[in-house]
Amino acid sequence: MTGPFLLLTGDCRDLMPGHGPYDLILADPPYGETSLAWDRRVSGWLQLAARALKPHGSLWVCGSLRSFMATADAFHTAGLRHAQEIVWEKQNGSVFHADRFRRVHEVLVQFYPESARWQAIYNAVATTDDARARVVRRKRRPTHTGDIGAASYRSEDGGPRLARSVQRFRNVHGRAIHPTEKPVALLDLLIRVSCPPGGVVGDWFAGSGAAGVARRLAGRRSVGCGIDPAMAQRARDRLAAILPFPVGDSA
């Protein structure tokens, strides 16, 4: 690739493989759960994406449990192995049926090639500094019989603890330029954890360009692809407003 960011217009299956290899691929494909014209599952892209990864690369895919169950065979056929998943908790969500729980979450799953060892995959362990691990020691043990008197404790701050697998980020309702736009902060987290500094992120379903904003915050390079020319231009305009350099494009 040339430059820090390139946004292509067209089918990711045709355009994205030639711009790899990628340290990390982010994918938010249509889930195929509604009757909307654009919500149609895309076939064949997973095998191409798997082959476009660098030896230490991995793939994060957004979806619902329903969509992952429906496409499980495609991940197996592409030679991809499950690594881990996180749940994105929203402050509000979607209601598809009046007789079921309101869905206020989505699932993001990380995969890596079956031919690779997990230890070889780039993985900057996600930790949180807002609540540190604590080691609690009882300074005076109470008796085991009779009344248990007051006991004193001493707490020692430990190192930062692992980030939780349930992550809460506000969605972008009312501010989004795409109907399924993901929060920049959520994508920024994935990029920092799974793409090395200076690495290249492949955003195979670029949509609003949110991943491009996130990779800019994280200091990575990226190639994105959107099939809708009008939306792709809106994404370029969005990126151009925050980037101190031109946003490349290709038809």
Side-chain angles (χ1 to χ4, degrees):
M1 66 173 290
T2 58
F5 184 82
L6 182 65
L7 182 55
L8 311 171
T9 304
D11 193 315
C12 64
R13 295 168 292 188
D14 298 329
L15 301 178
M16 291 298 282
H19 288 272
Y22 303 99
D23 298 273
L24 168 67
I25 290 177
L26 294 176
D28 187 12
Y31 298 175
E33 296 181 345
T34 71
S35 59
L36 296 172
W38 55 264
D39 191 19
R40 298 290 181 268
R41 292 196 182 102
V42 180
S43 63
W45 72 273
L46 275 170
Q47 288 176 295
L48 297 170
R51 291 199 291 265
L53 287 171
K54 292 182 180 180
H56 61 259
S58 64
L59 168 71
W60 278 97
V61 184
C62 306
S64 65
L65 180 58
R66 181 196 298 265
S67 67
F68 280 113
M69 291 176 65
T71 57
D73 289 344
F75 287 94
H76 178 72
T77 301
L80 292 168
R81 177 179 297 171
H82 170 273
Q84 59 182 331
E85 74 282 340
I86 65 172
V87 173
W88 167 36
E89 181 187 357
K90 315 173 188 180
Q91 84 278 9
N92 55 29
S94 304
V95 177
F96 293 110
H97 301 279
D99 59 348
R100 306 180 192 184
F101 288 103
R102 183 180 183 88
R103 193 171 78 184
V104 293
H105 75 280
E106 291 186 40
V107 183
L108 296 93
V109 185
Q110 184 184 24
F111 297 89
Y112 67 101
E114 291 181 345
S115 59
R117 297 172 60 251
W118 170 248
Q119 290 76 11
I121 304 301
Y122 181 83
N123 178 46
V125 178
T127 58
T128 176
D129 288 324
D130 60 352
R132 293 185 173 271
R134 302 181 72 84
V135 178
V136 180
R137 297 191 179 96
R138 190 188 302 272
K139 294 180 67 176
R140 180 165 54 87
R141 179 176 298 176
T143 59
H144 291 286
T145 59
D147 294 334
I148 298 178
S152 58
Y153 297 85
R154 179 169 55 90
S155 297
E156 296 180 352
D157 287 335
R161 66 181 181 184
L162 290 175
R164 299 173 68 245
S165 61
V166 177
Q167 291 285 320
R168 181 174 175 82
F169 294 99
R170 290 188 64 84
N171 58 29
V172 289
H173 286 177
R175 297 176 286 113
I177 64 174
H178 189 279
T180 64
E181 184 173 332
K182 299 297 182 290
V184 168
L186 171 62
L187 301 173
D188 175 72
L189 172 64
L190 301 184
I191 290 172
R192 292 180 186 275
V193 167
S194 302
C195 182
V200 180
V201 178
D203 183 12
W204 283 50
F205 300 87
S208 67
V213 177
R215 73 93 207 151
R216 171 69 173 114
L217 296 174
R220 273 64 165 177
R221 295 176 294 155
S222 62
V223 180
C225 185
I227 199 167
D228 180 354
M231 182 58 65
Q233 187 56 52
R234 293 187 70 182
R236 289 190 194 98
D237 293 343
R238 175 184 187 178
L239 291 162
I242 66 167
L243 303 179
F245 36 74
V247 178
D249 64 88
S250 177

